[in-house]
Amino acid sequence: MVNSKIQSAEENLIHVYNRFPVVLDHGEGMYLYDADGKEYLDFAAGFAVSGLGYGNKELARALKDQIDQLYHTSNLYYHKSCGEAARELNRICGMDRVFFTNSGGEAVEGALKAARRYAYTKQTGRYEFIAMENSFHGRTFGAVSVTGHKAYRDPFEPVVPGVKFAKFNDLDSVKALVSDKTCAIILEPLQGEGGINLATQEFMEGIRNICDENGILMICDEVQCGMGRTGSMFAWQGYGVRPDILTMAKAIGNGIPVGAFALTEEVAEYSLQPGDHGATYGGNPLACTAVKKVIEIFEREDIVGHVNKVAPYLTKKLDELTEEMDCVTERKGKGLMQGIVVTKPLAEVNNRAVQEGLLVIQAHGNVIRFVPPLIVEEKHIDEMIVKMKKALQ
Ligand SMILES: *Cc1c(COP(=O)(O)O)cnc(C)c1O
């Protein structure tokens, strides 16, 4: 049954994903189940999306109610939840004005356009972006243009011009690229796809200073590291370094397709104007209900507090694993966004993990990435370590 489902999918889809031969059926908390009833402990969270895990009844109820009531209106009108979702998201992400998108890539597109639009209003003649090596910002044209891996860009050249790449955590390499044409600097405070690389405090502050001194906008891409994952609601808050533009997606809707970019009031005033940008589905009632409800649950259940309680245990257990296994050379990351560097072929390790009933993700630099639902508990971490050890053997 499973094989025929896989075969019919393969015959009808464009082959861009190397999927595991698993047909998932349903989920509950930290676990996913396939069509044969096999259980998988989930340390992938659908790419750091399902922060609240699976089968959250309260969220499902709110979404079902919204579907019954209204789920599309277009942005020519307001609806009940758009203002509330925007207010709540601004409050928790510490920004002033938000635009809802349908994905992370679209949020990055909007952020880049907002930066260019700001320069256009101010007539600064600035258009260049400085991005980071090993960054990942998505698959749309603008997003791949600022993504610091040639493999993502080369097949699509020429991409958006005016992008330079600096070394992550190396302020001098950023300074060397700054010119009177620099419009914005874009970075992930904690690089995900690029191998779980955490920005230093000095780097974040240094970027902020470079931006302030040179009239450059700072864009933080928190599509993956935002929404509680690093132990603060958004990673920038942990540094106390506020960007001018912030991108979000993944966990903000717990799986309902929704992203956002947000601006400070100052940037918003000179940036996008009526007619400059839009998204037919963006911020529809279903997406906004998801954002509103996810934030409500996050705060009521103190998910960020929970992350700070449980993350040190993950760190400890991964440190022990690194110590114990010869093929694990390093632990990286912060909060519930961590990784281990392994010397074995990742695909093999990952395949064996799936056989053991454990879902993890790969990242660049031969990293196995652990981004579990944020509701993970110590017992799940113990179970993961047991399975991971078998996968690494
Ligand atoms: C996943 C990701 C994106 C792209 O998000 P999509 O929803 O897949 O378009 C952008 N930036 C970062 C940091 C990401 O991790």
Side-chain angles (χ1 to χ4, degrees), residues 123-158:
Q123 297 189 303
T124 60
R126 292 174 180 271
Y127 64 90
E128 288 181 356
F129 295 109
I130 297 176
M132 300 301 144
E133 289 177 7
N134 285 315
S135 63
F136 179 82
H137 297 293
R139 308 296 197 143
T140 57
F141 251 105
V144 290
S145 308
V146 290
T147 287
H149 270 285
K150 285 171 73 61
Y152 293 118
R153 295 195 312 271
D154 279 359
F156 309 105
E157 293 281 2

Side-chain angles (χ1 to χ4, degrees), residues 246-260:
L246 179 71
T247 62
M248 299 161 268
K250 295 202 164 98
I252 69 170
N254 204 59
I256 297 300
V258 53

Side-chain angles (χ1 to χ4, degrees), residues 42-254:
D42 184 22
F43 269 66
F47 273 96
V49 168
S50 310
L52 296 174
Y54 303 97
N56 186 297
K57 298 250 173 347
E58 184 183 350
L59 179 59
R61 173 51 47 209
L63 295 171
K64 284 174 192 164
D65 287 349
Q66 190 61 56
I67 285 175
D68 284 343
Q69 203 178 335
L70 187 68
Y71 55 86
H72 179 75
T73 55
S74 98
N75 287 307
L76 281 179
Y77 321 100
Y78 299 95
H79 57 81
K80 200 175 72 196
S81 46
C82 72
E84 292 168 29
R87 184 191 62 225
E88 291 300 284
L89 191 58
N90 274 324
R91 182 173 60 75
I92 64 159
C93 82
M95 302 296 284
D96 301 317
R97 302 261 175 184
V98 67
F99 179 97
F100 286 110
T101 67
N102 307 290
S103 69
E106 257 184 84
V108 171
E109 287 302 314
L112 298 175
K113 280 181 72 180
R116 286 258 177 101
R117 186 63 177 82
Y118 178 86
Y120 180 82
T121 308
K122 294 223 159 180
Q123 297 189 303
T124 60
R126 292 174 180 271
Y127 64 90
E128 288 181 356
F129 295 109
I130 297 176
M132 300 301 144
E133 289 177 7
N134 285 315
S135 63
F136 179 82
H137 297 293
R139 308 296 197 143
T140 57
F141 251 105
V144 290
S145 308
V146 290
T147 287
H149 270 285
K150 285 171 73 61
Y152 293 118
R153 295 195 312 271
D154 279 359
F156 309 105
E157 293 281 2
V159 294
V160 176
V163 181
K164 296 169 172 174
F165 290 96
K167 286 198 165 50
F168 192 63
N169 276 338
D170 181 342
L171 279 177
D172 287 337
S173 97
V174 178
K175 282 180 196 154
L177 299 179
V178 168
S179 78
D180 61 2
K181 294 280 175 277
T182 311
C183 168
I185 299 176
I186 179 166
L187 77 160
E188 299 148 85
L190 175 47
Q191 292 184 332
E193 197 71 18
I196 308 291
N197 307 311
L198 181 64
T200 61
Q201 181 70 28
E202 184 197 3
F203 191 62
M204 285 290 281
E205 284 176 10
I207 296 282
R208 185 66 269 175
N209 288 338
I210 291 170
C211 288
D212 290 343
E213 286 160 13
N214 296 280
I216 298 168
L217 298 177
M218 179 174 179
I219 305 173
C220 280
D221 181 353
E222 296 216 27
V223 166
Q224 186 163 158
C225 65
M227 209 62 200
R229 200 153 274 287
T230 64
S232 49
M233 197 59 100
F234 284 84
W236 76 258
Q237 293 156 336
Y239 293 93
V241 174
R242 188 189 189 213
D244 303 293
I245 303 176
L246 179 71
T247 62
M248 299 161 268
K250 295 202 164 98
I252 69 170
N254 204 59

